[in-house]
């Protein structure tokens, strides 16, 4: 690995660090799945603080470009280049019904189209990976009384990845925290998400059959069950407020 990485000489320090990191990745021919140097090494070569590097990597993580593994390091999840455009998302906080419904509308559009593209583009290896994630999710659902949010997320990520469009995975990764509020604070609905469980399998069946219209339809059915759960939760909250 080369020791050369030009120092940053600009006031736009954050963007410059991102561009320099991307240049380093291309220079070293690092691809998805490969490990980046430590924050200390990157900071030394860029002539910036470790905190500056950490913040830059946090932005990449938010865009779904890298994954930080506890005790292991930072790994690339997608191809990067110095010419990339970064599109940060700003989402309102809170756990109100309107905010959750707004997020669900985005999820509906993304998941339906990603499932359809996946049905067209996924090859044998991608289909095997999606099915593996599905099996893990179903096992977790059965053995943990319906608690399978992490495995559920991994299944959908596998579908996004196999769609052939990296923007799906990156946008969804940037919205990870908001999406997980469906599972962590489901407006008092104890069986939240349970009705969506069988549609994961039917989505996969249509993807494996290379049926884009069918995959899209099954994804929309899944999102419809989540919307029903949200509406049940909102109704429960209204009843509680009246008491």
């Amino acid at each position: 690995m080369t020791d050369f990485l030009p120092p940053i000489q600009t006031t736009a320090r954050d963007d410059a660090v991102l561009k320099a990191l991307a240049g380093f990745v291309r220079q070293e021919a690092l691809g998805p799945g490969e490990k980046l140097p430590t924050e200390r090494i990157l900071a030394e070569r860029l002539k910036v603080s470790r905190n500056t590097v950490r913040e830059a990597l946090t932005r990449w993580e938010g865009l779904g470009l890298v994954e930080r593994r506890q005790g292991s390091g930072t790994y690339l999840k997608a191809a990067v280049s110095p010419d990339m455009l970064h599109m940060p998302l700003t989402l309102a906080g809170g756990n109100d019904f309107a905010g959750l419904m707004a997020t669900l509308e985005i999820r509906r559009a993304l998941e339906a189209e990603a499932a359809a593209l996946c049905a067209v583009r996924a090859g044998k290896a991608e289909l095997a990976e999606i099915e593996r994630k599905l099996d893990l999710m179903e096992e977790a659902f059965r053995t943990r009384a319906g608690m399978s949010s992490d495995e559920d997320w991994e299944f959908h990520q596998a579908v996004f990845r196999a769609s052939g469009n990296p923007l799906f995975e990156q946008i969804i990764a940037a919205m990870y925290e908001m999406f997980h509020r469906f599972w962590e604070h489901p407006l008092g609905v104890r069986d939240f998400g349970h009705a969506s469980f069988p549609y994961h399998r039917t989505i996969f069946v249509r993807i494996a059959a290379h049926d884009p219209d069918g995959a899209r339809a099954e994804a929309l059915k899944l999102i419809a069950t989540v919307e029903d759960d949200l509406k049940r939760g909102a109704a429960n909250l209204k009843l509680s407020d009246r008491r």
Side-chain angles (χ1 to χ4, degrees):
M1 183 178 291
T2 180
D3 291 331
F4 176 73
L5 196 61
I8 301 300
Q9 300 292 339
T10 177
T11 56
R13 183 62 56 101
D14 290 344
D15 289 339
V17 169
L18 291 173
K19 188 171 183 178
L21 282 174
F24 173 80
V25 167
R26 184 168 66 178
Q27 176 180 294
E28 298 299 328
L30 297 175
E34 296 191 85
K35 185 178 178 179
L36 292 177
T38 64
E39 292 177 359
R40 179 183 62 80
I41 292 174
L42 289 172
E44 289 175 355
R45 295 181 184 178
L46 289 169
K47 308 301 181 186
V48 297
S49 70
R50 290 179 65 178
N51 188 57
T52 298
V53 171
R54 188 175 301 117
E55 290 175 356
L57 291 175
T58 297
R59 286 183 64 184
W60 269 12
E61 186 177 29
L63 292 166
L65 299 177
V66 297
E67 176 186 8
R68 284 165 160 168
R69 301 176 189 172
Q70 186 67 31
S72 179
T74 302
Y75 294 79
L76 279 177
K77 291 180 64 180
V80 298
S81 77
D83 300 321
M84 287 190 311
L85 295 176
H86 301 282
M87 299 184 298
L89 296 175
T90 301
L91 301 174
N95 193 42
D96 62 288
F97 175 72
L100 290 173
M101 286 299 294
T103 306
L104 186 65
E105 289 174 357
I106 300 301
R107 183 180 169 187
R108 176 184 287 113
L110 292 172
E111 294 211 18
E113 192 59 27
L117 288 173
C118 185
V120 173
R121 297 172 177 172
K124 290 183 179 179
E126 290 82 6
L127 290 174
E129 178 65 5
I130 295 169
E131 187 172 26
R132 187 179 74 83
K133 296 293 187 181
L134 175 60
D135 290 342
L136 291 172
M137 191 212 79
E138 291 178 336
E139 179 65 19
F141 186 90
R142 287 190 293 265
T143 59
R144 298 206 301 263
M147 299 300 293
S148 59
S149 61
D150 289 340
E151 291 79 8
D152 182 287
W153 176 259
E154 289 295 326
F155 167 78
H156 289 290
Q157 286 287 86
V159 172
F160 293 135
R161 201 170 294 124
S163 73
N165 186 335
L167 287 177
F168 279 113
E169 186 179 4
Q170 291 172 34
I171 292 172
I172 290 293
M175 302 177 74
Y176 176 89
E177 182 179 352
M178 178 66 84
F179 278 1
H180 266 55
R181 289 179 185 170
F182 288 142
W183 303 98
E184 295 168 359
H185 306 287
L187 299 176
V189 179
R190 298 195 176 198
D191 61 347
F192 187 89
H194 288 202
S196 72
F197 174 72
Y199 292 108
H200 295 79
R201 175 62 63 177
T202 59
I203 288 171
F204 172 71
V205 168
R206 298 329 308 160
I207 287 174
H210 300 291
D211 175 9
D213 291 336
R216 182 186 291 109
E218 295 304 311
L220 290 173
K221 290 176 186 177
L222 185 153
I223 296 299
T225 68
V226 178
E227 182 174 0
D228 289 342
D229 283 346
L230 284 177
K231 290 179 178 177
R232 279 198 295 137
N236 290 341
L237 289 178
K238 287 181 180 179
L239 287 175
S240 298
D241 292 340
R242 291 173 185 171
R243 292 171 185 170

